[in-house]
Every structure is written in structure tokens, then in C-alpha cells.
Amino acid sequence: MKKNQGYSRRQWLKHVGQTTAASAVLLSVPSYARPASAQVVVVGGGFGGATAARYIKRRDPSIHVRLIEPAKTFYTCPFSNLYLGGLRRFEQQAHSYDDLRAQGIEIIHDIATAVDPDKKTVQLAQGASLAYDKLLLSPGVDMRWHALEGYDEEAAELAPHAWKAGAQTQLLKKQLDAMPDGGTFILVAPENPFRCPPGPYERVSMVAHYFSQHKPKSKILILDAKDAFSKQALFQDAWQHIYGDMIEWVPMSQGGRVIRVDAKQGLVETEFGDQHQADVLNVIPPQQAAQIAHQSGVADQSLWVPIDPTTFASQHVPDVYVVGDATIASPMPKSGFAANTQAKVAAAAIVNALSGQAPAEPSFTNTCYSLIAPDYGISVGHLYAVNNNQLVEASGGVSPRDADADFRRREAQYGAAWYEAISLDIWGTEPHA
């Protein structure tokens, strides 16, 4: 990641605070008169969708906000790696929708199966059809099954991806617990773009921590479809310092790109013809915007969703906004924090559009904390702005490589505080103790 020279971390944090305060002012501006029947439907109850629903309702309580989410309890991908590392219980990933419901948001536990942009309706799996004035999609990602030969939904029950928190995460944890000491854990890392760029490497770190405590003779092999990854130098410095030679990373140019998977045998084959045997195999396949994005017409040939960076409105379908992992929003990463800040901008744009007002000039923030050991954290953070109708990095950078142990300990604490704060901001409740 690039770091803006001469821009200190203290200045960056101060700027984040100012930006957050400015966003709060924007969202608290009194709403203009509009019909009381304004209908906004939000699809997806994760970091993007739940944030958007809350902030639309907060800005204008007269808007009828419906949030469509099949899960009655939402389990977050952020911090699920700590569960794999034995540092959290799975229940600590759980969030309910009770507080959003208490704010006057109608929560509908169902699956959105189709959008009719002409009729401006959303069809639900159980048969209902919901009309909207504005629609916000935060559908997340789907796995590109068969992008790796042999890897499909059935194979994922043997070699889990665990890239959507829930049963897959629990399955991977069960496999790690059952693996004998001295076994090999293989993680297949995908090509760009994909959800949570530092996530596979934090996962490896947490598995290494678990192995160091319970299976110290075990090895970890990362087979990567890339030649570089987020916070690479910080991760690799820490791996060598804490875990020695337990972790091996093989980049694409050295034979890391996997092209074939045999989930039953725990075997993978690379494009160089090498085969690798795993005791536990974690395949994170290539990804794309979730199916509803394609059905509704907001996704393009890239398999992702192009948006207007000022409002996060779809470039292809009127009155539809898309936030989070499904979007083309580079250089912003596909992260929970990015979805949260995008959703706040989209929420303000929707309320303004319903009252005939122009959108405000947005700014965006993102911070990704990664835990490498219980008291060893690293981070990357950036501010983003819109320039010539393009999202651009305004400032930011990564943790310094030469930081001392106290700095790393505080980074770990900041990461935990971030998760608590964003959980409260989105779902209205802190994580379960």
C-alpha cells in the first residue's frame, strides 16, 4: 500500500475524526417536505445494508424503510478469523436486528430473488412483492463456482471456503481442531478483486497462533493467485518473528496459482503442474457480485457493479444504489468499514434525492486492522475523495514496519475497539461478551 509521505498517523486519525464529524452534520440536516409514503427498500443486512437502513431512517423518520435479510441473526466475517484462532467464541460474531426494528425499520426475513426496475418492485422468495421509490442493494459476494476446476458447492462441504461467516466457518474450525499435530493446512488465496484483501493472511496468522498453542509441529502453506497482497511486508515480518518457519507463502510467479482441486483427497494442483496434499484444505475461490446484482441489471461484464462515486447510485439502473463488496469502488477495498462509510454516503444521497436536493460532496474512510497474534496488530487506513468523477486516495498508509511491541499491542487493542464501535453503529448492540 502507498503511504503519503510527510503525513503522520496522528494527522490521519485527526482527519478521520473531522470527516466523521462532517458526515454526522450532513446526516442530521433537517429533511425537506415530501410525501409520507416514500418507500425505500434495502436488500442485505450486513455492514452496508444495515447501516444504510439505520441512517436513512435517522435522517428522515417519515420514510418507510424495509430491510430484506434472510438471516435472523447476522454473523460477521470480520473477526471470524479470531474464532478460528481460538481467541473468540462463534457467538461473539452474532448480531440481531432488534435495535433496527426498534428504530421503526421494518425487518423482513426473506430472500430477494428479483428486481423489476420498470415496475420498481422487489420480488421475495416467499411470494411478496415490494414497491420502492429508491432501492439500495448491499448483496455482498457470491463464489465463482467452477472457476477452479473441481471446486463447487459440494466440494466446499469438504474443503470449506469459510468466506461467508456461518456454517462454513464452523466447519473449518472443526477440521482444524481434528487435524493431527504435524499436519499441513493449505490456504488457497484468490486473485483480485475479492472480499477483504488482508483476510486470508490474517486467517493464516490466527491458524498459526492456534497451531503454536496446540499443534506446534504443523505447517501452513499459502498458494496464492497473486504476486503481492495487502500489508505484505508487515505480515511477513511478523510471521518470521512470531512463528518462524511454520508459514510458507508461494506467489503466483513461483507456482502458487491453483487451477484444480480434489476436495475428497485434499489435493490441489497448480498451473505449473505441482500437486500439494493438505490435511485441512481451505479454498477461497474467485468471487463476483451476488446474484441479485446480475439479475437486476446493475452488474456489468466485469461481474461487479459500477457506481456513481458521489452517491453510489448504479450507473445502469435508475433509483438503485449499491454499496459494499459487490461494487467497483477501487481504490477502496472490499471491507466492512468501506461498506459502512459508503452506506452513509448513499443514505444521505437517497434522502436528498427524495426531497429534490442535490447530493453533497462526499468523503470516505477505511481502516483494516489485522491480528497476527493476541498482542500483535497491524493496520492500513486511507481517506478517499472524488476527483473527476473517480474515487482516489487522499491520504493514509500502513503501520510502520519498525514499530515496537507496545505499538503492536495497541494496534491489537484498536482493532478490538473498532469492532465494538462499528457493531454499535450498525446493529445498535455491542458484540456478545
Side-chain angles (χ1 to χ4, degrees):
M1 303 294 290
K2 295 185 294 183
K3 185 171 182 178
N4 192 327
Q5 298 299 320
Y7 196 85
S8 73
R9 189 173 182 81
R10 183 185 298 272
Q11 289 172 310
W12 180 81
L13 291 170
K14 181 180 179 181
H15 194 173
V16 170
Q18 291 170 340
T19 303
T20 303
S23 298
V25 170
L26 172 67
L27 292 169
S28 64
V29 172
S31 59
Y32 293 83
R34 67 176 59 84
S37 60
Q39 305 280 329
V40 175
V41 174
V42 177
V43 175
F47 283 81
T51 299
R54 179 181 293 278
Y55 276 78
I56 291 168
K57 195 68 174 179
R58 179 179 295 180
R59 173 78 185 276
D60 188 343
S62 74
I63 296 175
H64 187 185
V65 181
R66 289 178 166 136
L67 175 62
I68 313 304
E69 166 57 48
K72 293 184 178 179
T73 300
F74 186 81
Y75 293 90
T76 63
C77 284
F79 271 52
S80 63
N81 287 332
L82 279 66
Y83 162 68
L84 297 175
L87 300 180
R88 288 171 68 86
R89 293 176 292 107
F90 187 69
E91 292 72 23
Q92 290 179 278
Q93 303 303 112
H95 300 276
S96 79
Y97 294 96
D98 292 346
D99 189 75
L100 289 167
R101 193 176 283 110
Q103 306 307 311
I105 297 165
E106 183 180 355
I107 309 296
I108 301 174
H109 292 299
D110 204 341
I111 299 172
T113 58
V115 174
D116 187 327
D118 297 324
K119 295 180 180 179
K120 298 180 74 171
T121 59
V122 179
Q123 185 68 36
L124 303 185
Q126 296 180 25
S129 179
L130 305 180
Y132 66 84
D133 295 300
K134 301 290 182 182
L135 171 64
L136 185 139
L137 301 177
S138 185
V141 301
D142 280 342
M143 305 301 129
R144 284 170 51 198
W145 304 119
H146 303 289
L148 303 178
E149 183 182 335
Y151 196 72
D152 56 15
E153 292 171 282
E154 184 177 351
E157 295 304 309
L158 299 172
H161 56 76
W163 220 236
K164 292 185 178 183
Q168 280 272 301
T169 319
Q170 292 174 303
L171 174 59
L172 181 56
K173 175 62 172 169
K174 184 181 296 185
Q175 292 180 350
L176 290 168
D177 288 345
M179 193 187 89
D181 189 12
T184 299
F185 170 65
I186 295 180
L187 183 144
V188 177
E191 62 194 37
N192 291 322
F194 64 97
R195 164 181 281 173
C196 191
Y201 313 98
E202 182 190 60
R203 175 169 292 177
V204 162
S205 304
M206 288 292 92
V207 171
H209 168 71
Y210 169 70
F211 285 171
S212 71
Q213 302 298 304
H214 303 283
K215 306 175 193 289
K217 298 177 183 178
S218 301
K219 296 292 184 181
I220 298 172
L221 177 64
I222 309 167
L223 297 173
D224 210 326
K226 305 176 295 302
D227 277 332
F229 59 87
S230 177
K231 294 180 278 190
Q232 180 172 341
L234 292 172
F235 273 112
Q236 291 182 317
D237 288 350
W239 291 342
Q240 184 61 42
H241 174 66
I242 300 171
Y243 303 117
D245 61 356
M246 180 182 284
I247 300 168
E248 180 185 358
W249 173 66
V250 182
M252 178 184 67
S253 60
Q254 296 179 27
R257 182 172 176 266
V258 169
I259 59 171
R260 189 171 295 109
V261 176
D262 183 339
K264 290 182 180 179
Q265 299 298 320
L267 278 171
V268 294
E269 182 180 337
T270 73
E271 63 181 345
F272 287 12
D274 298 322
Q275 290 191 340
H276 300 273
Q277 175 76 57
D279 293 280
V280 174
L281 179 58
N282 176 200
V283 179
I284 306 172
Q287 295 150 43
Q288 64 182 28
Q291 179 58 35
I292 192 70
H294 300 273
Q295 183 283 323
S296 62
V298 297
D300 66 11
Q301 66 275 11
S302 73
L303 305 180
W304 303 98
V305 180
I307 46 82
D308 176 345
T310 301
T311 62
F312 273 70
S314 163
Q315 289 187 7
H316 296 316
V317 181
D319 297 313
V320 178
Y321 298 72
V322 189
V323 301
D325 295 342
T327 63
I328 301 170
S330 180
M332 292 190 78
K334 299 182 186 299
S335 74
F337 198 161
N340 173 259
T341 190
Q342 292 165 6
K344 291 174 182 176
V345 168
I350 286 171
V351 174
N352 283 351
L354 287 170
S355 58
Q357 304 302 305
E361 183 72 20
S363 62
F364 304 87
T365 63
N366 178 71
T367 302
C368 287
Y369 292 97
S370 299
L371 200 66
I372 297 178
D375 292 320
Y376 196 113
I378 59 175
S379 69
V380 58
H382 284 93
L383 299 175
Y384 304 89
V386 178
N387 185 17
N388 292 325
N389 205 38
Q390 297 288 328
L391 280 166
V392 296
E393 289 181 2
S395 57
V398 299
S399 305
R401 289 185 70 177
D402 58 355
D404 61 18
D406 183 63
F407 188 97
R408 300 299 186 207
R409 177 183 56 79
R410 284 186 281 116
E411 288 269 87
Q413 293 171 345
Y414 295 156
W418 168 83
Y419 186 77
E420 291 181 5
I422 203 167
S423 297
L424 188 63
D425 180 52
I426 298 172
W427 295 282
T429 54
E430 295 183 4
H432 297 290

